[in-house]
Amino acid sequence: MPISFFLAAAAAVTGAADGDILVTASLEPVLAQNAAVSATVFDEKRINALGEPFAVDLLRFTPGVSVSASGGYGSQADIRIRGSEARHSLLVIDGISFNDPAASNLARFEQVTNDSLGRIEIVTGPQSALWGSEALGGVVAVSSPDPIGAGLRARAAAEYGSDDFRRGSAALVTGTDKAGVSASAAWSKGDGIDILGGGTGDKDGFENLTLNLKAVARPGSDGELGIVGRYVRAEVEFDGTDPNTFLRADTGDASRTNTGAIRAWGRLGLAPDAPWSFEVGGQYLHSRNRNRDGATALNASTGDRLKLDAQLIRRFTAGDTPHSLIARIEREDEEYDTRDQQYFGATDKNVTRGRYAVVGEWRGDWGTLLSTDVAVRHDSFNRFKDATTWRANAIVHLTENLSAHAGYGEGISQPSFVDLYGFFPGSFVGNPALRPERSQGYEAGLSWSDQMFSLGVTAFSNRLTNEIVTVFLPSFLSSTENADGKSRRRGIELTGEVRPVEGLRISANYTYLDAQQQRVTGTAQLREQRRPKGSANLFADYETGPLTLGASFAYVGKRKDTDFDIFDPVTFESPVVTLGSYVLAGARVAYAITPNIEAFGRIENAFDDKYQDAVGYATPGRTMYAGFRVRLGD
């Protein structure tokens, strides 16, 4: 697909508009035009216009991001940022680290609903110097609306469509400049599809219930107290493997996840130019995953994470240059339990781990010409080797509209509990000697922006070492180890946005990715799987009077994958196959029948493209939906 098509169409998601705030570009929110990072922002207006039910559907449109979904709604969806592994993305929801300690610390993006969200922000490239483990590929930050000064808004929506898909949500946001509350509930359920394909198996459905509550109070002129809680109950049916042949089969497998999290904080020094700011906070997450085959319980895993933090900011001006010095400390403890009926308790475990972290960041805005940001972090782990990570970025405003940025960042991803302690003693054993995976990343780019048009180009190069890989032992056991080779991920991202008339935004991006894996030093590098060399997106939202329109096109190039249903008894290897390219097209049309009632319809995979994100797993064809929304307030 020609790059010129997307550049001619305009658009840029990478980099928010001037005056916008980036939350995860620093330990403190910063102006987008002074942040030397690659970032993508989906605001509330765009989220509503596109109408996608889950966050993973919007992440597809982000430059440098590839999605591998093993079925329809609710099925496992792996996100790979700039060629990184699925376990290398950090998910943050309302300031809570939401990677699941009960599921190998994966971010469960398929469970994050878009209903009642205020914002999705994606910062790509290694960010561990600020955000710690799992921020090796990048950070995805999701937030509910800020209730302070919001007035009164209420929303309710219902939708029905293909495959008996049902969706309902309700949200309330109310607040003054002193206190506010936002609350939301979202539910969706569908019969799904036969993800094994072929049309002969049963459908694999899903259900998701998400509850969210945020309360913020500012009792004084310069202080803030806040609390936020989130609960997710998600259930998905899927086709697993035959217990005798170990091949993919039409099974009755299902998984149910219950995740609850809460965060509280207190802060002094709210103004962005306050000489001193101090914040303390704590968060707790509990997750329980239960697997079954039909009505037969198989196993369950439980994860708990407690995290305490404190942050101090000193702001001052030297000459004409404002500086910010930020110091942060963290303490995190995790616990992982497993119980099974399938193997009569052979996989039962109860293990823990913890870490301390100290972080320092220095930001400087050198007039209108230059902004710099340097950060360092040291993580002290109690189960494996400590890690120190760095980040340094700079952005130069060459003219009023043209800027150049460059940066270096490091990332780490700690071994999961399964990596360390194994799963089944007679099959997969852990390796307590593992070290955290590490990445070093560079990027540089140019961007142009004015009131109507923006365009950007960014080149990046990341090197992964200590990659945790699966190995097969002579005793017919499997385990994990740190590879001694170096994997490289390099590429170019082109982005742009055009705003030709009021209310219309057209965005587009193209990514070229060269991702190569090397497990053993000195051997050939092999192309990484489930990562397209070329991907492109074009999407838009438009609002005029009672009419709201949203449309999207996502192109995904050819990818490699391994077909584990085929096994060579001599080489003990399965063949690598090629998955074909595809285009996903979607649209949503909404019309306000009255000032308070809106009717809408939308379509997904409008071209009915037959595609696979993972070999052997079907995905939905053309689907259509319709519904209505009731709203009060602005």
Side-chain angles (χ1 to χ4, degrees):
M1 184 166 290
I3 298 175
S4 58
F5 170 76
F6 290 91
L7 296 183
V13 234
T14 299
D18 286 351
D20 284 350
I21 296 294
L22 289 179
V23 178
T24 48
S26 168
L27 290 176
E28 278 290 289
V30 297
L31 288 173
Q33 64 263 32
N34 293 333
V37 296
S38 296
T40 299
V41 174
F42 294 94
D43 58 24
E44 188 172 9
K45 179 181 176 182
R46 175 155 273 177
I47 293 171
N48 290 333
L50 293 175
E52 301 285 359
F54 289 91
V56 67
D57 301 306
L58 295 178
L59 295 179
R60 284 186 181 272
F61 306 145
T62 305
V65 172
S66 59
V67 177
S68 298
S70 301
Y73 289 146
S75 299
Q76 180 177 333
D78 293 335
I79 303 298
R80 294 176 171 86
I81 301 177
R82 287 184 172 176
S84 63
E85 302 295 337
R87 60 184 178 273
H88 294 164
S89 301
L90 178 64
L91 173 62
V92 180
I93 302 179
D94 280 327
I96 303 171
S97 299
F98 239 83
N99 288 47
D100 189 353
S104 298
N105 266 16
L106 286 172
R108 309 297 292 272
F109 290 107
E110 69 276 5
Q111 298 179 3
V112 182
T113 63
N114 288 332
D115 293 295
S116 308
L117 286 187
R119 179 184 177 97
I120 301 175
E121 180 176 305
I122 306 100
V123 177
T124 55
Q127 305 294 325
S128 290
L130 296 181
W131 306 112
S133 183
E134 280 70 70
L136 190 151
V139 179
V140 178
V142 175
S143 59
S144 52
D146 184 359
I148 292 293
L152 176 62
R153 292 185 296 160
R155 302 283 189 272
E159 184 181 58
Y160 182 80
S162 301
D163 301 317
D164 201 23
F165 176 80
R166 291 146 282 167
R167 177 185 179 193
S169 65
L172 173 69
V173 182
T174 179
T176 67
D177 60 348
K178 292 296 184 180
V181 174
S182 67
S184 65
W187 172 82
S188 56
K189 184 176 182 178
D191 288 349
I193 63 171
D194 174 19
I195 66 173
L196 195 65
T200 59
D202 64 330
K203 290 186 175 182
D204 301 292
F206 84 100
E207 184 175 11
N208 183 292
L209 173 66
T210 299
L211 307 176
N212 205 87
L213 177 66
K214 179 191 290 185
V216 182
R218 293 180 176 173
S221 60
D222 203 30
E224 179 178 277
L225 298 173
I227 188 168
V228 61
R230 188 177 183 90
Y231 172 76
V232 180
R233 187 191 70 203
E235 183 161 355
V236 60
E237 299 170 343
F238 60 95
D239 291 327
T241 58
D242 185 285
N244 298 313
T245 66
F246 300 103
L247 302 179
R248 286 187 296 268
D250 186 34
T251 66
D253 285 272
S255 177
R256 181 169 181 170
T257 301
N258 294 79
T259 305
I262 188 170
R263 171 178 171 253
W265 71 93
R267 183 182 178 98
L268 287 174
L270 299 181
D273 58 351
W276 294 92
S277 292
F278 178 67
E279 181 175 317
V280 293
Q283 57 182 267
Y284 173 71
L285 180 143
H286 173 80
S287 177
R288 180 171 174 80
N289 299 318
R290 285 167 286 182
N291 298 307
R292 59 181 172 82
D293 184 359
T296 303
L298 299 177
N299 53 65
S301 60
T302 302
D304 294 271
R305 179 188 297 119
L306 175 64
K307 184 177 179 180
L308 304 175
D309 56 75
Q311 181 171 291
L312 178 66
I313 305 175
R314 173 68 172 119
R315 302 181 183 91
F316 62 94
T317 300
D320 295 328
T321 303
H323 297 269
S324 296
L325 296 177
I326 307 175
R328 182 179 179 89
I329 58 173
E330 297 176 357
R331 171 65 191 183
E332 181 179 274
D333 291 282
E334 292 182 318
E335 183 174 351
Y336 175 68
D337 301 330
T338 60
R339 298 292 182 267
D340 82 67
Q341 294 78 40
Q342 185 179 15
Y343 301 116
F344 308 101
T347 70
D348 289 0
K349 290 182 181 63
N350 189 342
V351 291
T352 63
R353 67 183 181 192
R355 67 170 179 85
Y356 288 99
V358 292
V359 190
E361 183 182 11
W362 167 38
R363 288 191 54 83
D365 295 319
W366 310 82
T368 59
L369 176 65
L370 174 67
S371 294
T372 58
D373 185 357
V374 178
V376 60
R377 177 190 185 99
H378 180 76
D379 286 280
S380 179
F381 299 103
N382 69 347
R383 295 291 184 238
F384 33 80
K385 186 177 179 181
D386 297 350
T388 300
T389 49
W390 293 81
R391 195 186 80 161
N393 297 305
I395 183 169
V396 181
H397 300 285
L398 303 173
T399 69
E400 181 181 357
N401 304 111
L402 180 64
S403 61
H405 73 274
Y408 168 79
E410 296 179 346
I412 61 168
S413 182
Q414 60 184 328
S416 71
F417 283 109
V418 174
D419 292 331
L420 292 170
Y421 303 110
F423 175 65
F424 185 65
S427 176
F428 183 83
V429 295
N431 181 0
L434 288 172
R435 294 163 290 164
E437 299 172 291
R438 296 191 64 97
S439 178
Q440 295 176 310
Y442 301 85
E443 70 169 66
L446 292 170
S447 62
W448 169 276
S449 181
D450 60 25
Q451 290 186 345
M452 290 186 59
F453 183 76
S454 57
L455 186 67
V457 57
T458 299
F460 62 88
S461 178
N462 300 322
R463 184 181 68 178
L464 177 68
T465 57
N466 292 344
E467 182 175 5
I468 297 174
V469 297
T470 301
V471 293
F472 296 95
L473 306 177
S475 57
F476 294 100
L477 295 175
S478 59
S479 185
T480 54
E481 69 177 15
N482 292 108
D484 63 0
K486 298 178 181 179
S487 299
R488 297 186 180 275
R489 292 86 184 258
R490 298 173 290 189
I492 297 175
E493 297 165 353
L494 302 174
T495 63
E497 182 168 285
V498 63
R499 302 166 288 276
V501 297
E502 185 177 355
L504 174 61
R505 293 181 294 181
I506 306 172
S507 300
N509 58 74
Y510 174 85
T511 301
Y512 170 78
L513 174 67
D514 179 21
Q516 303 289 331
Q517 182 188 50
Q518 183 190 61
R519 295 184 58 161
V520 179
T521 299
T523 61
Q525 291 190 333
L526 303 176
R527 181 177 170 183
E528 292 270 27
Q529 297 184 12
R530 298 189 182 181
R531 299 156 176 85
K533 275 194 172 183
S535 59
N537 301 286
L538 172 65
F539 53 100
D541 61 277
Y542 180 49
E543 183 175 354
T544 176
L547 183 65
T548 301
L549 303 175
S552 62
F553 296 87
Y555 165 78
V556 178
K558 294 180 179 180
R559 293 133 292 134
K560 299 292 185 180
D561 202 358
T562 299
D563 189 348
F564 290 103
D565 270 0
I566 304 174
F567 182 75
D568 189 324
V570 177
T571 63
F572 296 98
E573 294 181 349
S574 295
V576 175
V577 299
T578 299
L579 300 177
S581 60
Y582 62 89
V583 174
L584 292 181
R588 180 181 182 271
V589 179
Y591 187 83
I593 303 170
T594 73
N596 304 116
I597 301 177
E598 178 185 78
F600 63 86
R602 64 184 182 92
I603 185 171
E604 294 186 1
N605 194 4
F607 301 152
D608 199 26
D609 214 342
K610 308 298 181 185
Y611 69 98
Q612 291 184 348
D613 281 329
V615 65
Y617 292 98
T619 49
R622 183 189 298 112
T623 52
M624 292 178 283
Y625 312 88
F628 66 90
R629 184 173 67 157
V630 178
R631 56 184 178 182
L632 299 173
D634 295 333

